[in-house]
Amino acid sequence: MDTKRSGTLAYGNRVARLRAAGLLCAVAVAGALVTGCGDDNGGGGGGSASPKASEGGKSAVASPTASGKLTEDQTERKALIPKAKITYDKALSAATGAVSGSKPVSAELKRGTGGKPVWETEVATTDGTKSMVTVDAVSGKAAKPRTDSDEDADDKTKLAAWLKKAKVTAQQAAQVATDKKQGTVSSIELDDNDQGKEIWSVDVVTKSDWNKTTYDIDAADKKVLRTHVDRD
């Protein structure tokens, strides 16, 4: 056996193995360097976001829903509001015009007979006697006023007091609300809150997401007392 040749072959095999091992080390080091490289904020450069960051992105997604679909209420608003050509203030004007000496109490956009949009309004005289007037939200025509058969003497006294104390008009309250949130007034009502303070409760619908934001506005000084966003 040629021992010299065998030694040469063994030496060659060792060199080959060492070179292969060195190449693997170089690849590993390069990979570590790439992984370690990041942007100025410490994030991985070009890598996928961490699970925590991904979850944060999902939680930041606003309505309609996480799937991008509208809820039932949002769908109803989207179908109804664009059909209304008459705004709440014109509806209230038509209603007060139908009842002599009355002041606005409430107006709400609803779906009427045959799916047509209507404003269901309430107006009252200074003694608190309330009348209900349906106003066509397309033509602006007011139907015949109807008296509220459920209103008793105490209700009249309470409503008369609200009308007397309210220094802020429905239009002024609505203006405060739409200054806060640009959108369409779908409902406005003179009421009192849990603290017994007279307020105008104003609903504003935004057409970008069809959410409804309710503002409780002090009927004495136009201060916003409460804000609630309905994303359903």
Side-chain angles (χ1 to χ4, degrees):
M1 180 176 184
D2 190 342
T3 56
K4 185 176 181 180
R5 184 176 179 182
S6 298
T8 300
L9 290 172
Y11 174 77
N13 290 335
R14 284 197 301 274
V15 171
R17 287 196 298 272
L18 287 172
R19 286 178 177 173
L23 180 60
L24 289 173
C25 287
V27 172
V29 170
L33 288 173
V34 170
T35 303
C37 292
D39 55 25
D40 292 338
N41 295 323
S48 60
S50 66
K52 186 174 182 180
S54 298
E55 289 170 6
K58 288 181 180 179
S59 64
V61 174
S63 57
T65 63
S67 64
K69 295 181 179 179
L70 296 176
T71 65
E72 184 177 346
D73 287 344
Q74 289 167 342
T75 300
E76 174 64 14
R77 294 175 199 135
K78 184 177 180 180
L80 182 62
I81 288 176
K83 292 180 180 180
K85 308 305 179 185
I86 301 299
T87 55
Y88 81 94
D89 52 329
K90 291 182 178 179
L92 285 174
S93 179
T96 54
V99 180
S100 179
S102 65
K103 293 183 178 182
V105 175
S106 71
E108 183 177 4
L109 185 62
K110 291 186 175 184
R111 191 179 293 277
T113 304
K116 292 182 61 177
V118 297
W119 286 100
E120 294 294 352
T121 72
E122 292 179 334
V123 297
T125 51
T126 54
D127 66 351
T129 300
K130 185 166 60 177
S131 298
M132 298 174 290
V133 183
T134 299
V135 179
D136 191 308
V138 176
S139 68
K141 184 179 180 180
K144 184 178 180 180
R146 311 180 308 278
T147 56
D148 186 354
S149 58
D150 293 329
E151 187 181 35
D152 58 25
D154 289 340
D155 293 332
K156 289 183 179 182
T157 300
K158 186 176 183 179
L159 183 53
W162 286 357
L163 292 171
K164 187 176 181 179
K165 290 180 181 179
K167 305 303 181 185
V168 177
T169 66
Q171 289 83 353
Q172 289 172 333
Q175 186 63 56
V176 171
T178 52
D179 283 346
K180 294 287 185 182
K181 177 75 69 175
Q182 186 174 5
T184 301
V185 174
S186 62
S187 176
I188 186 166
E189 180 181 13
L190 183 63
D191 202 351
D192 63 352
N193 60 14
D194 293 339
Q195 290 71 44
K197 185 179 288 291
E198 288 75 29
I199 61 168
W200 283 104
S201 182
V202 186
D203 290 345
V204 179
V205 175
T206 45
K207 294 182 179 180
S208 59
D209 51 19
W210 300 106
N211 286 339
K212 179 179 71 176
T213 303
T214 301
Y215 294 93
D216 287 351
I217 298 167
D218 195 316
D221 59 13
K222 298 192 286 188
K223 185 179 295 183
V224 177
L225 302 177
R226 173 181 171 271
T227 303
H228 173 72
V229 181
D230 182 0
R231 293 185 171 89
D232 293 335

